[in-house]
Amino acid sequence: MSQAIHPMLNIAVKAARNAGAIINRASLDVDLLKVTAKSTNDFVTEVDHAAEAAIIDTILTAYPGHGILAEESGRQRGARHSDYVWIIDPLDGTTNFIHGLPVYCISIALEYRGKIEQAVVYDPTRNDLFMASKGRGAFLNDKRLRVSKRTRLSDSLIGTGFPFRKGDNFQRYLKMFEAVAPHCAGLRRPGSAALDLCYVAAGWYDGFFETGLNPWDIAAGSLMITEAGGLIGNFTGEADFLHQREVVAGTPKVYGQLVQLLSPFTRVIKEDEPAAPPAPAPAATPERKPVRLRKKDVQPEGDEEAD
């Protein structure tokens, strides 16, 4: 970076590198890892827990009064009511990691009074460090990031993520896929939403969309996007996306075109999670709607990408 790194960003970088060292060591013997299924196709390993503990220890040593929101431990550590909250995904792309596919990362963001102010996404397999500070730009290692100059969706490469958990509405996603795919140059699904967002910031993708994501999947990447000159929001183009479980991002023009295509699908997660189990179905009629999943069958938590 061409200017002094903010002290809090510096701590995030240190925490990410500490976690990266743990993950890289474990990647040498993936077959020996203890893997637990949080739910169908949603995995956690002892490496997730060790990396998360290393990140939190590093942060709380420097800032003991700060709050923590972490994927595996939730809010168990840190101050409960601080204006500063660190949002942490210790290993985004766990399923890739378990299979030895080198597409995964560590994501750390600092939220101050509801706004993301610092962000680090570290890819330990490539030693790629994405960093952003609010108002100071986004960087990959020492290179300033800018979103691509593409303005037409038809020329654009778009990242996404497929549903994978029990209870996800795959048919609904296929309709989204069908809405976007014919209008762009290609769709990609590597398996780590945090990296996907950084790829938009770097100009490698021109846009990205996904449903079912949690704050730790997208907090850091969202600042990378805006600091690189891109836009990010929910499917109707509003800035309220962090806790909405839907996100779309891209270059300014591509973002607008994606919102047009995706707005009919907004709030699909909430629609697919009814408040109560369905009543016994009456006798079938031609107009009968498909039976909806009960809330207990839908996994509201869990890392995107098994991740």
Side-chain angles (χ1 to χ4, degrees), residues 14-168:
K14 181 180 178 183
R17 290 198 182 280
N18 288 347
I22 291 169
I23 291 167
N24 278 341
R25 280 197 300 272
S27 72
L28 301 176
D29 291 299
V30 167
D31 292 343
L32 301 180
L33 288 179
K34 181 180 178 183
V35 180
T36 306
K38 292 191 281 189
S39 62
T40 305
N41 292 338
D42 199 0
F43 303 103
V44 63
T45 71
E46 55 197 317
V47 178
D48 294 70
H49 290 294
E52 183 170 291
I55 293 166
I56 295 173
D57 287 347
T58 302
I59 290 169
L60 292 183
T61 297
Y63 300 108
H66 285 194
I68 299 289
L69 174 59
E71 180 179 7
E72 307 306 338
S73 59
R75 293 184 181 271
Q76 292 172 12
R77 299 183 61 187
R80 288 301 175 96
H81 304 292
S82 175
D83 286 339
Y84 291 95
V85 178
W86 294 85
I87 305 175
I88 299 161
D89 191 337
L91 181 53
D92 186 44
T94 299
T95 298
N96 286 347
F97 175 77
I98 291 167
H99 288 83
L101 182 66
V103 183
Y104 46 82
C105 68
I106 298 129
S107 177
I108 303 172
L110 175 62
E111 182 183 69
Y112 176 68
R113 294 184 176 176
K115 303 287 186 185
I116 306 299
E117 299 227 321
Q118 310 293 336
V120 167
V121 174
Y122 180 49
D123 176 348
T125 70
R126 295 166 58 95
N127 196 25
D128 276 347
L129 185 70
F130 296 89
M131 297 181 290
S133 286
K134 191 169 181 62
R136 295 188 178 191
F139 294 80
L140 168 53
N141 301 323
D142 292 323
K143 181 186 175 185
R144 179 74 182 259
L145 295 182
R146 300 299 299 178
V147 296
S148 82
K149 293 181 170 60
R150 290 191 179 86
T151 58
R152 294 188 301 184
L153 184 58
S154 58
D155 298 330
S156 297
L157 185 63
I158 306 298
T160 188
F162 304 150
F164 60 89
R165 298 185 194 92
K166 181 180 179 182
D168 283 344

